[in-house]
């Protein structure tokens, strides 16, 4: 078991928690969205706009596949839609311990309100979109994960502590 990989819905705190977890464990933090933006020299919203979602999903799979060669144990946060591909779930299992961060719909709405960086949430009713996507994705997150950590009403330090206990 090598890397620790955080999965979960947009706004569940993968990047914030991931950075803190990496700091606490003395590991390097890697975010698949950031890596894609660096490699493409483009924001994710621009990639979606110019080339479409399937192109972006292929980039996610490529980043994950490349990580199989990584020797240093990392803390990795992946985009919320990444575990939806069957192939990606197989890579996640090979990469290490998968932790699913959950949050209530109200919390997600609060965190994602006014966000313009996530193309799949733009336009229409935010809460309805979140509920619909959660319905479609929830069981797949469950299938992909080794352990689940609820984040509502917990501090970052508490969540980090819980994850460290769970992955041991
Ligand atoms: C997406 C989540 C985003 C990003 C892209 C698509 C999704 O990442 O990969 O906008 O489909 O859930 P975060 O979960 O880090 O926001």
């Amino acid at each position: 078991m090598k890397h620790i990989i955080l999965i979960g819905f947009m706004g569940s705190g993968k990047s914030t928690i991931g950075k803190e977890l990496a700091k606490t464990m003395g590991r390097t933090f890697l975010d698949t969205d950031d890596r894609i933006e660096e490699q493409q020299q483009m924001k994710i919203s621009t990639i979606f706009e110019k080339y479409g979602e399937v192109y972006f999903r292929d980039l996610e799979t490529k980043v994950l596949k490349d990580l199989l060669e990584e020797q240093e144990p990392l803390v990795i946060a992946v985009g919320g839609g990444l575990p939806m591909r069957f192939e990606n779930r197989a890579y996640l299992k090979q990469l290490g311990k998968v932790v699913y961060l959950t949050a209530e719909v109200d919390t997600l709405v609060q965190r994602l309100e006014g966000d313009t960086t996530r193309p799949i949430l733009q336009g229409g009713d935010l809460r309805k979109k979140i509920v619909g996507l959660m319905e479609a994705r929830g069981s797949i997150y469950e299938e992909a994960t080794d352990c689940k950590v609820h984040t509502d009403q917990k501090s970052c330090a508490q969540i980090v502590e819980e994850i460290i206990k769970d992955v041991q």
Side-chain angles (χ1 to χ4, degrees):
M1 219 39 89
K2 208 169 52 150
H3 307 298
I4 296 173
I5 308 121
L6 304 182
I7 66 166
F9 203 77
M10 293 166 272
S12 59
K14 297 173 300 244
S15 302
T16 311
I17 305 295
K19 281 180 195 152
E20 206 49 42
L21 178 65
K23 209 161 108 187
T24 310
M25 298 183 79
R27 291 191 181 199
T28 303
F29 172 72
L30 185 142
D31 185 306
T32 57
D33 285 341
D34 291 348
R35 175 141 295 186
I36 290 171
E37 289 188 338
E38 279 160 26
Q39 286 176 345
Q40 301 299 307
Q41 290 291 294
M42 230 181 277
K43 289 278 165 209
I44 285 171
S45 52
T46 313
I47 299 173
F48 267 73
E49 206 181 297
K50 280 188 132 172
Y51 303 109
E53 182 171 351
V54 174
Y55 183 84
F56 171 73
R57 299 298 173 196
D58 288 342
L59 294 174
E60 285 190 312
T61 301
K62 167 90 172 53
V63 165
L64 215 52
K65 225 167 158 180
D66 290 348
L67 279 169
L68 294 172
E69 308 300 320
E70 176 64 58
Q71 294 306 308
E72 181 193 342
L74 305 171
V75 172
I76 303 168
V78 305
L82 182 144
M84 297 308 115
R85 267 196 188 176
F86 178 77
E87 181 188 3
N88 293 353
R89 294 201 289 285
Y91 292 136
L92 288 174
K93 279 207 192 321
Q94 286 179 59
L95 283 167
K97 201 94 172 172
V98 181
V99 180
Y100 172 24
L101 298 185
T102 72
E104 296 296 328
V105 171
D106 282 347
T107 311
L108 295 174
V109 171
Q110 217 177 332
R111 289 186 191 157
L112 295 166
E113 203 118 61
D115 177 87
T116 54
T117 65
R118 295 170 172 97
I120 59 167
L121 293 179
Q122 302 313 301
D125 184 276
L126 178 64
R127 176 176 292 269
K128 272 193 195 144
K129 282 200 169 168
I130 291 174
V131 170
L133 278 168
M134 278 301 288
E135 267 168 26
R137 292 179 171 185
S139 59
I140 299 174
Y141 288 138
E142 301 274 354
E143 184 194 316
T145 199
D146 293 302
C147 51
K148 187 158 115 177
V149 174
H150 302 283
T151 64
D152 291 279
Q153 277 95 46
K154 285 181 195 161
S155 68
C156 189
Q158 276 175 307
I159 298 165
V160 164
E161 198 183 317
E162 222 176 286
I163 296 172
I164 291 173
K165 260 190 220 144
D166 285 355
V167 297
Q168 270 166 8

